[in-house]
Amino acid sequence: MRGGLEGAKSLSHITRKSDDEDLLPRAATPVADADLSKARAHWIDRDTVTWRAEPEARHFLAFGPEGDITYDGGDLTGDLRLIRLVPGTLSEEQRRAWPHLAGHPAWKVDPRDAGHVRRALRAQVVAVERDASGALLAATGVQIAGVLDDLYAAKATAATLGPSGRVVPKLALWAPTALKVELALYGPGRSVHRMRRDDESGVWSVHGPPSWMGREYTYLVTVYSPKAGKIVTNEVTDPYSLAVTADGVRSRLVSLDAAAHKPPGWDRLAKPPAVPQERASIYELHVRDFSASDASVPAGRRGTYTAFGGDSAGMRELRALARDGLTHVHLLPVFDVASIPERAADRTEPDGDLAALPPDSERQQECVARTAATDAFNWGYDPLHYTVPEGSYATEPDRRIKEFRGMVAGLNEAGLRVVMDVVYNHTSSTGVLDPIVPGYYHRLLDDGTVATSTCCANTAPEHAMMGKLVVDSVLTWARQYKIDGFRFDLMGHHPKANLLAVRRALDGLTLDKDGVDGTSIILYGEGWNFGEVADGARFEQATQANLAGTGIGTFNDRLRDAVRGGGPFDADPRVQGFGSGLAGAPNGSPANGTPEQQRARLAGYADLIRIGLTGNLRDYVLPSGRKGSEIDYNGSPAGYAAAPGEVVTYVDAHDNETLFDALAYKLPRDTPMADRVRMQALSLATAVLAQGTMFVHAGSERLRSKSLDRNSYDSGDWFNRLLWDCSAGNGFGAGLPPRADNGPRWPYARPLLADPALRPGCAEIGAARARYGELLRIRASTPAFALGSLTEVQRRLSFPGSPEGVIALHVDTAGLDPRWTSVTVVFNATPSEQTQPMPALAGREVALHPVQAASDDPVVRASAFDPATGALTVPARTVAVFVRS
């Protein structure tokens, strides 16, 4: 429209001529609520629009094929057409599908205009409200994800998207709102190729000759952009990319079946034996941490995929852990990330000799901060391309596919299966997905702005095609890279249905058809409940409680907090727990409360740990008669799982301080290093000897420290060092941790970092590693720690009454383990010897577990059994495992 009535003549294309007069503006008003930069209306299916508008007014959808609708002079201008809306209501099915819109008024598309819906979706769409005189009352943009799914998803979800074809390449992109999509090919020069649209699916596709293989490409998507307020042509990479150029600038057309992308023996790779999820023991590791500080790795291979082979110190340690019973290595993000320059020449590292600076100095973190944006380190929770390996971990970005596969092979050959940390809940920005289908791939708030509760631009896997992208990407990693498990970051921001779709898709993979047994692939993630999706606000989430009965695991923060003490965000980091001195070794912090409050908290923590030791089962009944679900954890049920395999038990991870650093804060400062080692082992034992999946942060078995850094995501190699050579220490005393996330804790941290008594030597690091290895061997060799079901746990596992600061668990193994009829574990967290009454063992033949009986730790070997009374005596700060023949 060029203003006034001239452009309004176009209404005759949509409405009957006799109705035109009623639809034309009558009286413009300068006070209309008409912010077209917002999108407060929701077009949820082909028939239904919801909007917090006045029911008595008259409502329309205006669409502008030229993308030029604007608000000016109190009314809408531009070349617009109208779709009439009539009052309606949401059905119960619609209310269930869109719970956050359930209270909104609803309108129905007038059947006379239903034929124009698809055309409107390829234009600018505005919801319009006018009074009886025709004066504009309100106008807003429209969220269209629901109607796109309704119209296109049935066929589009069955389409093969991205690159396909081993010899004759095909490319396909879902872009139902686009006016035109073209393929731009690069190298040599640039050529542009038309793509054909399938109107039923909204998929654009093109075939090409074999000579296209290996070439760089992008898509040219011509589409209305609400962000730009006009029709634009966006040049974008492929969201289904299998390869990209350095820094993800362009996609590259490759066949992952090509020999050039496979290391020797890849097609014949032998996997370590699969284990049920409740038997998995997982080691969380960052690719760069693994070798960046390992002098036994050639300099050019440090920090890369290629370090996962040979006979380096790190590989020797991984093989030793596998022999002890470790089953999986969990790799922090290794997909293509946005935050690390992929070419070595583009990276900068801190200057100077950081090791020469004082252990409590501010200067180390200042040096690290100066280069943080361009150094080689980041955790990687900022996805750029979901299904491409990260290029900075390759010796050259273009070698990423082959070298990533070589890493998987190296870990498998070391006896370890491989888990990928995947981050489908957000992207680093809206720049990859949104330019293709604006307003679709990211979750929008009620005003149309992108939700950022995860940290960044939240995705919307509740929308069919984002959900499909998640499933398709996971399947590619499983088939083409032989990944054995997936850890979903912020999984509670996914619908439960999306995770179940992933599970079904994986279960459909077979060795004969796909080269992979999908049923052996484990799934777990962060089932936290927060943000705009919290408490089922938009869908049934993949949260801790909701995943009970699915076999998908979630991290158990209950046991973690009970062992460590307090929570991750305490202002005073000295709040103590079962494993950090609450049981008889107070540190004097007022944050711990009165002695009475401490005893009460210790008792509550003990119940959280007991439930955690069962696999955090909601229906397990404690000796008190209360079920796990009836134990309180910050206002929520402590127990939530239906089976042990649905819980990942841990006491530290990459988030928050390492266990050693947490104990540095929480144990009394004068605690001898030997006792710190014992409390480290006891704390780790609560995870290792629990039912369900066991998880540990790399290096915690050797007292790893990040110099008290609670959030080392961008703290460089310096604060994230994983030191295999004990003569270099454990990382403690590397300077004050980065100010941005740790500044308020510097007053607590400074005196600790300056204290040389808190820096362990080789003897202490070796002792910690030995204790952890013993725990792994006990877990791996003893069926008592893998009961597998609520029925078996409730029947066999019990918690005898214990002294304060002691937890005992007893497992009846008759008919389960041919060697022993029972196994009893005593966790003594107190600073003194304790006796655990076990009258049922009186007169029986009981001894320390053979692994501990052969330990080089004289303290644990001093644990004793009194056959007259059945009592078990356990030294201070010790976990002892007894077996009855």
Side-chain angles (χ1 to χ4, degrees), residues 396-418:
E396 293 290 342
D398 286 345
R399 299 174 187 166
R400 67 181 84 203
I401 296 171
K402 184 175 183 178
E403 291 182 359
F404 184 105
R405 286 169 158 173
M407 172 187 65
V408 172
L411 286 166
N412 288 171
E413 289 162 5
L416 296 162
R417 296 171 75 87
V418 180

Side-chain angles (χ1 to χ4, degrees), residues 295-346:
S296 68
V297 175
R301 292 170 52 192
R302 292 176 199 162
T304 74
Y305 302 128
T306 63
F308 289 87
D311 194 39
S312 67
M315 284 306 297
R316 290 195 297 271
E317 181 59 19
L318 289 183
R319 293 186 189 103
L321 286 165
R323 289 193 297 271
D324 286 338
L326 195 72
T327 62
H328 292 73
V329 163
H330 161 147
L331 297 171
L332 268 71
V334 285
F335 49 76
D336 186 41
V337 305
S339 52
I340 308 173
E342 292 193 333
R343 297 184 183 93
D346 296 333

